[in-house]
Amino acid sequence: MHRQRVIGGLILLAAILIAALLIFLRAGPEEKPPEENIPLVQAEPLEIRSGNLMVQGSGTVRAREELTLSAEVAGKLVYVNPGLREGQSVARGATLFRIDTSDYRNAVQTAQADVASQNVAVMEAREEVSLAKAELARFEQRGASSSAYASVDGSDYAARILPPETLTKGRGTNGQQASTSAPANGLATREPQLLSARAALRRAQAQLSDAQTALKRTTVRAPFSGVVRSEEIALGSYVAPGQSLGSMVGTADFEAVIPLSESEAALIPALWRPGNNRIEASVYSDYGGTRYRWQAFVDRASSVLNPQTRTIDVFLRIPNPLRGGAPAVIQKKGQKSAGASGAPPLFVGSFVDAEITGRALDQYAVLPLAALRPGNQIWLVRDGKLRIVKVDIFQRTDTQALISTAGLGAKPVVILGTLKTATDGQQVRIAEDRKDAAAKTKPATKKSGNGKAKDSKAPTPKSESSKSGADIAQ
């Protein structure tokens, strides 16, 4: 029994010694430096440009000249131009429709007859004035030579020209004629009748002019080249003056109304100066998946703010809009280039993008809108650290912003993504672009003689000589 206790104690002591030895000889844990939690960010270099700022905006195309077709005189339509249909083009001076001229030709002939009749009346009145003046002169001579007027009756026509008492008083006591004579009655020379005849002639001539004008208005011509927007006209129908028969728009020039904010309008220095109609601009429109461009220029700017948007309306004039636009140099994402042969016309009512030439700058940067932070701040990466910079914005669009280069430094790199917390000076890592990473990991290939791609890492086959040498060695 005692022996068993000794053996058990020895075994326990041996186990303790072995455990102590194992603890003493065990390897310590591998020490690693603490990992730094540096955030990974997506960034890209900013595009630096120089030259004129391109003030961008959007608006709607409308016709610069538009009129409502109507008749100035009443009558029955006897002719309607076959091309007077909605969507058809009409040349300048083309006859649009014609009204029956029968009544208006008769009115002209009647007015011509009235003018001829009044001409005769004027001639008669002129002759009567001449006769009356001659008779008056003859009576004056007789009154001066003798006293024959003393027996002139008061009802006589000569007495109405010069009454007898006037003639007798006109002689002095010695039988000589007085030095002064009484003025003749205005009706004596029949000049009022002549004035009345001349007035009637002018009235007849005016009526003739009205009749001739009404006859000309029976034919309605196109005042300019344009496109018929709407038409409500039929051959044989009766039209009244002022009745709307359709509308057409001029195609020589269109205009686009581009609303700009006050800060954007301030980027166009010559906008409010006289003679600013040569500020160059461009208008872009999409058609069939392709973007087209039309040359334009600033025609005018409204001096009244738009009450709804509180913006300044700038009117761009677009010459020859139906000639077709040129394919834009830069297409939107997913759009394809097209030849100028299939270029469409610019449509009235279409929504367009516009670029207006602004003031010239030595340098400005194009910032993706995703990189703009609240308070006009951006996050730059410099030497692996985040820097918060406040910038001045020249213009902002839906996709980008034009900013000043002050404080950006050389070759600025801007952060596009978001961070939970961003402090000036914290370390950041720039994530490698997936396309670049894929290009680096893709194995290099080379083409064989038959044109097929061949992996450069594939094992090279042994030559015949080396194979035969190995066989000999065996």
Side-chain angles (χ1 to χ4, degrees), residues 44 46 74 93 107 132 134 153 165 206 213 222 227 247 277 282 307 354 382 410 424 453:
E44 68 177 27
L46 283 180
D153 185 71
E165 60 272 13
T213 302
V227 175
S247 63
N277 54 351
S282 299
R382 293 178 185 169
D424 190 66

Side-chain angles (χ1 to χ4, degrees), residues 111-121 201 204:
Q112 290 174 345
D114 291 340
V115 170
S117 176
Q118 293 302 325
N119 280 326
V120 174
L201 175 61

